Amino acid sequence: MSDDLTRRDLLQALAGGTLVAASTMLPITAVAQQFNRGSGRGPIADATGSRTPATLRGDQVVQPERALPVLHTTDVLVVGGGPAGTAAALAARRQGVEVTLVERYGHLGGLATGGLVLAIFPLYGSDRRQVILGIGEEMMRRLDTLKFGIIERNKAPEYPIVDAEAFKYVLASMVIEAGLKVFLNCWGVDAIIDSTGAVRGAVFESKSGRQAILAKVVVDASGDGDIYAAAGAAYTRVKDNIGLVSRIGNIDEIDMTGGDEHLAAASGQPVTPRRPTRGAPTMTLDGKVGSPTPAPHTNWLNMMGPVGDALDIAQMTEFELKHRIAIWNNVERVRAKAGNEQAFVLETAPQLGVRLSRLLHGVTVLTAEQARAQTKFEDAIGYSGSYAGQPEFQIPYRALVPQKVENLLAAGRCIATDFPLADTTRLIPVCWVTGEAAGVAASLCVTDRCTPRTVEVAKLTSILRAQGAYLG
Ligand SMILES: Cc1cc2nc3c(=O)[nH]c(=O)nc-3n(C[C@H](O)[C@H](O)[C@H](O)COP(=O)(O)OP(=O)(O)OC[C@H]3O[C@@H](n4cnc5c(N)ncnc54)[C@H](O)[C@@H]3O)c2cc1C
């Protein structure tokens, strides 16, 4: 069989089998190279393992001190490639600084792709106008040009539902086009602190071993605040429901409900009974079939899951195993119903559904009370739409800045809010907002030689507005 690929093969490889609108395609030359088999296959060199292993001393395991290779040096380092991290990295890059994005899995999108969390919730204000714009809106516009990329766009109060593979495609295209340096399959395990106590990069573990990336400023978009915790920032450790989202294939039925809480919250009106639940998490999987996705005959089934500690690896493992068994058993119940005989588990999310784990102690801690009171902030960097009965609210820049640690910003679900409000600030579009703001602020730290604490807020907000963000 020939090793040469046809243009059609390439497009299918790029789009995961989905046809792609010409306007959003990468030039074929940009990707053709990776599919050529090339020469130079075979052994590289004989080697002896060069790691410095930990040693057992009595009942203690001790790691020796050692110098780490520096993998890369950059202006802005963003750790975590989820909604917040991708928005942060793209926003910083647009300000002309060098940006490096590091992600522990092999794709971008975080829970919005790897977690199969497909609904883009609090986009709209109570008057149905879209209040979250900027880079997140740009991502959705790109999804809009793809067949089976996104449904329910611009139909407030209904929320858009994305396709995870289309979203991975869009994000991969955007980071390549932007000229971002990206390292995938790279897990941030420590912060690097200089002699003044400021964060100067992070340590990563990958198949290349333990390496350092040095940076002028770091954005922690890991969702779990892994880097700010390692740097010594104060935070609140929280427990929340941990579920596992799945997709069911070959299904045309959708779950019906007497009222959709999200829809009711957004419209302020009583909702028509028996609408689809549209992604609301199910408490029990007693034959639930979920709600529609952009892919034909395919539903996604959100899961609430039990309360757990996302920083407890034994508990996370137990949930991963038991949730997958529950999902399989549920589809067997679904198949038992007439008309659903051919339904099957299309996929379980590769990423466990962690809602919250760490909440930063920021210079400002945004509270549910402030949101209810419609508090206005002089350093507002964005706005959240209303969600599940919660009001729309402004988000202050200083909720991204740690109380003590220097040279680091937080973005996404681990920013400084109280626990009740975190249920909204953790949602995908709000993570876009805090990510974009953290990215621009980080770029200003480089261009204006300042720190996150001393960023000129008026400049930050004017750049965000110019990028299309709505600040309330
Ligand atoms: C079950 C469930 C259902 C949900 N439903 C909805 C919904 O319908 N609509 C909605 O808007 N929101 C929903 N959410 C919330 C939303 O999906 C997430 O809160 C949001 O994706 C958070 O974005 P983030 O970028 O802050 O974090 P994440 O999406 O978690 O992304 C963080 C990224 O960082 C990477 N990472 C983590 N640690 C490291 C490390 N140490 N080193 C390198 N990389 C690291 C991760 O792999 C990941 O890619 C749901 C969440 C869950 C769990």
Side-chain angles (χ1 to χ4, degrees), residues 27 62 64 105 177-178 193-194 200 209 211 221 230 235 245 248 262 270 321 338 346 354 357 391 414 443 454:
V62 179
Y105 293 129
E177 285 167 20
I193 309 289
D194 71 11
R200 290 289 171 199
Q211 295 169 309
Y235 59 86
V245 184
I248 304 178
H262 308 303
L321 296 172
L346 181 58
V354 171
S357 56
C414 56
S443 76
T454 59

Side-chain angles (χ1 to χ4, degrees), residues 45-295:
D46 293 329
T48 307
S50 60
R51 303 276 180 95
T52 328
T55 51
L56 193 58
R57 290 193 203 147
D59 58 358
Q60 281 195 316
V61 178
V62 179
Q63 248 186 342
E65 189 179 274
R66 57 178 163 145
L68 295 178
V70 175
L71 170 65
H72 187 63
T73 300
T74 187
D75 288 335
V76 175
L77 171 63
V78 179
V79 183
T86 48
L90 289 164
R93 181 71 189 131
R94 284 173 189 185
Q95 298 309 303
V97 299
E98 265 184 55
V99 182
T100 303
L101 175 63
V102 184
E103 164 57 42
R104 86 178 138 163
Y105 293 129
H107 60 84
L108 298 173
L111 285 166
T113 57
L116 287 178
V117 169
L118 306 181
I120 310 294
F121 275 148
L123 273 183
Y124 306 112
S126 49
D127 59 0
R128 299 191 182 188
R129 94 210 118 93
Q130 188 172 329
V131 294
I132 295 183
L133 296 158
I135 287 178
E137 167 63 14
E138 209 179 306
M139 291 171 183
M140 287 192 292
R141 276 195 199 139
R142 284 185 177 234
L143 283 165
D144 235 349
T145 67
L146 305 179
K147 191 167 171 68
F148 307 135
I150 189 167
I151 51 174
E152 316 296 8
R153 265 273 285 166
N154 301 319
K155 287 190 190 163
E158 304 216 5
Y159 298 103
I161 311 286
V162 303
D163 179 81
E165 290 306 319
F167 205 1
K168 287 179 197 169
Y169 168 83
V170 162
L171 293 173
S173 306
M174 287 179 88
V175 300
I176 291 174
E177 285 167 20
L180 287 177
K181 185 83 183 167
V182 181
F183 292 102
L184 298 178
N185 299 306
C186 222
W187 191 303
V189 292
D190 216 342
I192 300 170
I193 309 289
D194 71 11
S195 55
T196 70
V199 178
R200 290 289 171 199
V203 176
F204 295 90
E205 195 71 59
S206 74
K207 284 289 180 185
S208 301
R210 186 169 276 237
Q211 295 169 309
I213 297 180
L214 299 177
K216 292 182 180 145
V217 60
V218 174
V219 178
D220 184 342
S222 66
D224 296 318
D226 287 356
I227 304 302
Y228 69 57
Y235 59 86
T236 300
R237 187 168 168 169
V238 298
K239 280 180 160 185
D240 204 343
N241 296 87
I242 300 178
L244 186 69
V245 184
S246 56
R247 290 201 301 162
I248 304 178
N250 236 347
I251 187 116
D252 291 312
E253 192 192 344
I254 49 178
D255 279 334
M256 295 296 193
T257 175
D260 181 328
E261 56 165 322
H262 308 303
L263 203 61
S267 64
Q269 303 292 325
V271 294
T272 322
R274 298 188 57 74
R275 292 190 70 102
T277 51
R278 298 181 65 256
T282 181
M283 297 289 182
T284 53
L285 297 183
D286 47 357
K288 287 279 194 310
V289 292
S291 50
T293 68

Side-chain angles (χ1 to χ4, degrees), residues 22-40:
S23 60
T24 57
M25 277 191 302
L26 283 175
I28 229 153
T29 46
V31 289
Q33 200 61 33
Q34 66 185 302
F35 294 103
N36 292 336
R37 201 159 180 202
S39 58

